[in-house]
Every structure is written in structure tokens, then in C-alpha cells.
Amino acid sequence: AAGINKREALGLGICVDHRRKNRSEEGFKANVDRLKLYKSKLVIYPRKPASKRAKKGDSDQKEIDAVGEQILLKTVLPITQPEKVLEVRKITKEERETTVSAVLRKALTDHKRAGARAKLAADKILGDFICV
């Protein structure tokens, strides 16, 4: 999506992990934008500077001259995380009095015993019909 294949990425110093998967569209878009920004700022020196013809992808002399000024800055492309906004509120009396561990234990037990309880209820209904 960023227009960089695996061989080119390895040549440009971009690590490629074939096991990695982008789980969300937002993260994928952020990675693509970051790679495009990196490639736009990348200056590729020609292998043969004395050559009259430049290869595809090589930077021209203006960009190469501008690099000397940028090296002094020594800034890296930062990954900016969006700032999370927390909603703060007062704890209610009901929340303060509840025992969370007991509520969780009850929910876990209900989930675990749901099948057995359904079977008991079904057997009870069938048992009423048999006894009559």
C-alpha cells in the first residue's frame, strides 16, 4: 500500500516482518502514512557520483546538498500517539458498597453452571410429565 516491495524495503533500511498482520484500518493507514513520509524524506546517494546519468530513485544534487544542514538536527521521525481523554466522575454510594469480587465470582459461576442448570430444568419439566 505504501508502494515499497520487500526487496526495496530491505535496501532502504526498513525491517519487514512477514508474520505481522495489521489488525485495524487505523493502524494500517498510520503505518502507510509513516512509510510514505519516511520515503519522501529519504535521500539516496548515487552509487557513481561521477556518472552523467542518474539511476531511478537517486536524489539530485540539490537534495544531497540540503542533507548537510539536516544532519546537524539529528531528529528522527517520531510516532505520535493520540492523547487519551479520561472521563472523571464521583464514585456512587451503590458502587462503593458492592463487592466486585463477589459479583465476578457469581457471573463466572452462572456462566459455568448454565448448561447444568438448563439440563436440570429440562429434566424437572420432563419428570412432571412422567409422574402424571
Side-chain angles (χ1 to χ4, degrees), residues 38 41 69-78:
Y38 175 76
K41 292 183 180 241
E69 301 163 7
Q70 293 176 357
I71 290 177
L72 298 174
L73 299 175
K74 291 193 177 183
T75 57
V76 182
L77 296 174

Side-chain angles (χ1 to χ4, degrees), residues 8-9 13-15 18 20-21 28 31 58 68 81 84 88 93 95 98 103 107 109 112 122 126:
E8 185 182 357
I14 301 170
C15 294
H18 65 90
R20 190 176 178 285
K21 294 204 175 8
F28 178 71
N31 284 335
D58 286 350
Q81 296 291 339
K84 295 180 180 178
V88 181
K93 185 178 179 185
E95 289 173 340
T98 56
V103 172
T109 306
K112 184 178 179 181
L126 288 175

Side-chain angles (χ1 to χ4, degrees), residues 4 12 33-45 57 59 63-64 66-67 70-71 73 75-78:
I4 305 171
L12 296 176
D33 293 341
R34 191 170 43 82
L35 286 171
K36 284 183 179 176
L37 178 68
Y38 175 76
K39 194 170 180 188
S40 70
K41 292 183 180 241
L42 188 68
V43 176
I44 300 174
Y45 287 88
S59 300
E63 291 177 345
I64 293 171
V67 170
Q70 293 176 357
I71 290 177
L73 299 175
T75 57
V76 182
L77 296 174

Side-chain angles (χ1 to χ4, degrees), residues 86-96:
L86 296 176
E87 185 180 323
V88 181
R89 63 179 178 81
K90 293 255 185 187
I91 298 173
T92 62
K93 185 178 179 185
E94 180 184 318
E95 289 173 340
R96 191 176 298 277

